[in-house]
């Protein structure tokens, strides 16, 4: 199992969703691969919705340009 910290990089206000830099979530995955690019990033989208109540897919932020991924465990 691997643990990742995903953090937003930029301010973005799209489709009624506001993203601020520094918003971060932690996710645990079964694989060592990047959770943003695996399975359409669903685990990351779910974590942002659970913690912040925002839909980062709707905001167009579920990509490596907008998110920083760090493996922490």
């Amino acid at each position: 199992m691997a643990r990742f910290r995903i953090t937003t990089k930029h301010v973005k206000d799209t489709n009624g969703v506001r993203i601020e830099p520094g918003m971060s979530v932690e996710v645990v995955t079964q694989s060592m691969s990047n959770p943003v690019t695996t399975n359409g990033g669903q685990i990351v989208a779910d974590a942002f919705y659970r913690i912040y109540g925002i839909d980062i897919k709707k905001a167009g932020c579920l990509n490596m340009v907008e998110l920083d991924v760090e493996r922490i465990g």
Side-chain angles (χ1 to χ4, degrees):
M1 294 182 102
R3 192 170 75 171
F4 294 90
R5 179 178 298 124
I6 297 93
T7 307
T8 57
K9 296 179 185 178
H10 308 104
V11 173
K12 192 162 185 176
D13 195 354
T14 307
N15 295 326
V17 180
R18 181 158 177 91
I19 306 292
E20 295 286 337
M23 297 171 90
S24 68
V25 297
E26 290 185 12
V27 297
V28 177
T29 65
Q30 294 290 335
S31 70
M32 299 296 188
S33 54
N34 185 337
V36 173
T37 58
T38 304
N39 293 329
Q42 191 59 50
I43 191 171
V44 176
D46 292 344
F48 271 95
Y49 191 79
R50 184 176 60 254
I51 303 295
Y52 297 103
I54 59 171
D55 185 348
I56 62 169
K57 279 187 179 180
K58 183 177 177 183
C61 290
L62 192 56
N63 58 62
M64 293 305 295
V65 173
E66 301 291 338
L67 300 173
D68 181 47
V69 177
E70 174 187 6
R71 184 164 178 232
I72 56 175

